[in-house]
Amino acid sequence: MPRILTVDDSRAIRMIVAKQLQPLGFEIGEAEDGNDGLAKLQSAAYDLVVLDVTMPNLDGPGMLAKMREGGNKTPVLMLTSESKTAIVATVMRLGISDFVLKPFKGDELKAKVLKALKLPADYAAPGGAPVAAAATPVATTAKRVLVIDDMENVHKKVRSLIPAERNLDASLNAADALALCRSNPYGLILIDGDLPDTNLPSLTKQLRLLQPKAVLVAMALRTANNVTGEMRAQGFEDVLFKPFVNEAVDALLERSFQEDQELVSAQENCLKLAGFHGRDDKLEGYFQKLSAKLKEAMSKLAEGCFDSAVLDASQLPLGQPMRAAQFMADLSKVSADCGVALRLVGSAELAAVIGGFEEAKSLRLFQSVEEARAAA
Amino acid sequence: MKPLPPSERLGVLVSNVTQTMLGISFVPVISDQAHPGLCWRTAVMLVNGARPLTVGLSSSQEGCLALTAAMFSCPASAVDPSMINDALCELVNMTAGLLKTEMALDQALTVPQVVTDATVLARLAELHPGLVLKAKEIGLALWAHEGHAIAKLTAAA
């Protein structure tokens, strides 16, 4: 059973932390300042410390420094209202797992604690029900795009350039953007490189803490010299030049959502095809990559002596039926070449698409993965 | 760095804190003044640095009880004075954190203090009128101004 130490001078916060985590079966210890926290760590081992920054006697960074000096490597999750750059830099240098900015929602805290403990997002107390998936949006919701620019036309322009299926949020200023970042996961954050009244290095640091996996990109004019260098010095990874061009936006999306683009996922001999969320002119590229990935996956199955497999193609785009049918025909050939019989899962629409292709007729189609497995 | 936000925006910041932590939303009542009854207890946070800032939150006895009960998820009858101080201090701490971000101030927060001296609070109200916020029957006064006038007032009292 994981043991967690909450160190905060506020009894209310310690109580809230305990209330959120005890139902997960965690054992919670409490300390009211850094000195008390160090004493508790000496008397018992903990799996995680949830640590405030501003406290009397010995503050959070002070306690963290003493822990690390003494060789204590217990993971630390900072839970604080403090975002001063120097303090954030210090605690990051000393090694923290993550940051939760107050005010915080219980679900956000739970999700970050589970992540810090390397536990699954649906972790349940032994004998208890799993944490409801809907209660952990940070861990389960698809990543989004955030645009921060004081000109609404920029929001509209970005919206017009990214696929409709990709969720986009927009904010006119840094404060609203940070509020959005507390409750949504982002894969790509586009920020006006000339956002009024904003300390950009400070903003990028705060965004980095809240969204460690997001790609931070500055939107800037081409006219200035060495824009890319200047923006990188302010904490950005890249620059998107205004006015925008399709190719640059596409490249950023591909880079930012790479992990979402696992085209073929495999679990033993059950393969699942990812859907397509791009513009129409990118569909051909999707099919080509998908074919290559499937060929690899089928070869691996053959190497593993599987003579049959289930392929969940329910997400396959059918907007260009001829292309989809051609893909299926190619797949049928690969299946035969590898000696792995495929049982396909898909809709009646997919059945109609492949029904007209002689080459794909050898593929057996089922309505669900369970049905396909049962037919083995 | 930005100037102090207008009253409406300050109200939104406080409400962001109370809505997230307590499920209570406040709205500013521009026509009202932070009268003594609304200042039964005040938690004050001094933000130190090149641009010193004071952020305070006051409420009436009933308001403090209601806020604290919500913070601790307990009935008002179970609330004691230390819990009230704790809850008010934590709310002002979070409000100051959001205000600092809003103003792009890269300055450190301090440990909040509780002020109950009516004379000090009355003098503070003369110097810097508080913003009154309401959520049904709960009233709050928010003090947000440049400088650390309250520290001098408290020291002089």
Side-chain angles (χ1 to χ4, degrees):
Chain A
M1 178 192 297
R3 302 186 76 211
I4 296 175
L5 179 64
T6 167
V7 187
D8 201 305
D9 57 328
S10 167
R11 186 172 145 200
I13 295 299
R14 298 197 305 269
M15 188 220 69
I16 290 169
V17 170
K19 195 176 148 197
Q20 291 296 331
L21 302 179
Q22 274 167 342
L24 293 170
F26 297 168
E27 191 178 319
I28 310 295
E30 293 187 23
E32 60 185 30
D33 63 25
N35 289 330
D36 191 15
L38 289 172
K40 292 268 161 58
L41 283 175
Q42 281 192 332
S43 61
Y46 287 88
D47 300 291
L48 178 71
V49 177
V50 178
L51 183 61
D52 188 15
V53 167
T54 311
M55 292 183 289
N57 306 320
L58 181 62
D59 64 11
M63 175 180 161
L64 180 59
K66 290 197 173 194
M67 280 172 66
R68 299 305 189 228
E69 280 165 22
N72 187 321
K73 292 178 182 168
T74 307
V76 170
L77 178 67
M78 300 303 297
L79 175 64
T80 179
S81 307
E82 183 57 85
S83 56
K84 187 176 189 296
T85 311
I87 294 172
V88 170
T90 300
V91 296
M92 291 192 82
R93 201 175 54 244
L94 290 166
I96 58 168
S97 299
D98 211 335
F99 223 94
V100 178
L101 276 173
K102 297 175 186 174
F104 61 97
K105 287 193 181 291
D107 294 337
E108 182 191 3
L109 175 70
K110 270 192 274 193
K112 294 219 171 180
V113 164
L114 291 174
K115 194 174 141 201
L117 290 169
K118 298 186 170 52
L119 292 170
D122 61 351
Y123 176 84
V131 179
T136 53
V138 171
T140 58
T141 309
K143 288 192 290 184
R144 308 158 76 92
V145 176
L146 174 63
V147 184
I148 312 169
D149 197 299
D150 61 319
M151 297 178 75
E152 285 184 11
N153 194 48
V154 174
H155 305 170
K156 287 180 194 162
K157 188 65 191 171
V158 175
R159 175 72 274 179
S160 73
L161 291 173
I162 68 168
E165 297 83 357
R166 181 66 66 190
N167 288 321
L168 179 139
D169 296 320
S171 87
L172 296 166
N173 57 58
D176 292 345
L178 290 169
L180 284 168
C181 284
R182 286 190 187 97
S183 50
N184 298 295
Y186 291 101
L188 172 63
I189 302 180
L190 299 167
I191 307 156
D192 181 6
D194 197 22
L195 196 64
D197 303 318
T198 302
N199 179 335
L200 282 178
S202 170
L203 176 62
T204 52
K205 276 179 187 148
Q206 291 178 66
L207 291 171
R208 179 67 60 220
L209 286 170
L210 290 166
Q211 301 286 333
K213 289 185 180 169
V215 176
L216 299 187
V217 176
M219 297 180 288
L221 295 172
R222 293 161 201 280
T223 48
N225 289 327
N226 193 23
V227 177
T228 305
E230 282 177 21
M231 291 301 163
R232 287 205 166 129
Q234 299 198 59
F236 293 100
E237 287 160 62
D238 211 339
V239 177
L240 178 64
F241 289 104
K242 293 178 180 176
F244 307 130
V245 291
N246 280 347
E247 290 72 17
V249 174
D250 287 345
L252 273 180
L253 288 172
E254 194 167 336
R255 180 178 155 198
S256 307
F257 298 100
Q258 215 161 23
E259 69 188 58
D260 292 355
Q261 293 169 345
E262 190 183 12
L263 291 176
V264 180
S265 53
Q267 202 169 19
E268 290 197 341
N269 69 332
C270 191
L271 307 174
K272 185 176 168 80
L273 306 186
F276 172 70
H277 302 291
R279 293 197 314 263
D280 286 352
D281 61 343
K282 298 288 173 189
L283 188 62
E284 180 54 32
Y286 161 85
F287 274 117
Q288 286 180 13
K289 281 185 198 166
L290 195 58
S291 292
K293 290 282 180 192
L294 261 178
K295 200 170 177 182
E296 276 175 31
M298 299 288 284
S299 293
K300 278 188 184 169
L301 286 174
E303 277 175 31
C305 292
F306 286 105
D307 57 7
S308 70
V310 172
L311 176 65
D312 182 352
S314 52
Q315 304 284 319
L316 193 75
L318 301 173
Q320 293 182 17
M322 286 302 289
R323 185 63 186 91
Q326 182 60 53
F327 166 78
M328 283 300 172
D330 293 346
L331 177 63
S332 176
K333 185 174 181 313
V334 170
S335 155
D337 289 349
C338 293
V340 179
L342 272 186
R343 296 187 298 281
L344 207 58
V345 176
S347 62
E349 200 182 351
L350 178 61
V353 165
I354 60 174
F357 255 67
E358 193 63 37
E359 297 90 331
K361 277 189 175 165
S362 62
L363 296 170
R364 294 167 66 197
L365 188 68
F366 299 86
Q367 287 187 337
S368 70
V369 172
E370 291 71 27
E371 262 184 45
R373 277 185 171 147
Chain B
M1 285 188 290
K2 293 182 186 177
L4 271 169
S7 302
E8 292 77 10
R9 186 66 194 161
L10 287 171
V12 169
L13 293 180
V14 174
S15 214
N16 276 350
V17 172
T18 56
Q19 179 58 45
T20 306
M21 301 305 297
L22 318 174
I24 301 172
S25 290
F26 283 88
V27 290
V29 186
I30 309 293
S31 57
D32 207 350
Q33 290 205 335
H35 53 84
L38 199 54
C39 303
W40 178 69
R41 252 180 174 71
T42 301
V44 178
M45 157 72 74
L46 303 180
V47 183
N48 291 330
R51 194 174 163 193
L53 201 69
T54 298
V55 185
L57 275 179
S58 309
S59 192
S60 63
Q61 187 167 355
E62 297 73 25
C64 283
L65 275 173
L67 290 168
T68 305
M71 189 91 169
F72 281 88
S73 305
C74 68
S77 57
V79 168
D80 65 37
S82 72
M83 290 163 74
I84 291 176
N85 291 351
D86 188 304
L88 263 191
C89 283
E90 201 51 39
L91 292 176
V92 84
N93 177 29
M94 294 181 201
T95 304
L98 290 186
L99 182 60
K100 208 163 63 101
T101 302
E102 174 88 2
M103 295 173 68
L105 282 182
D106 196 23
Q107 298 176 188
L109 300 175
T110 59
V111 177
Q113 304 291 327
V114 173
V115 179
T116 52
D117 189 321
T119 316
V120 168
L121 291 170
R123 182 80 184 106
L124 180 68
E126 284 171 22
L127 292 170
H128 302 284
L131 171 68
V132 176
L133 302 152
K134 284 271 167 68
K136 293 185 182 169
E137 73 279 13
I138 307 173
L140 260 185
L142 169 70
W143 316 87
H145 52 260
E146 307 263 1
H148 287 168
I150 194 155
K152 290 173 195 161
L153 292 170
T154 311

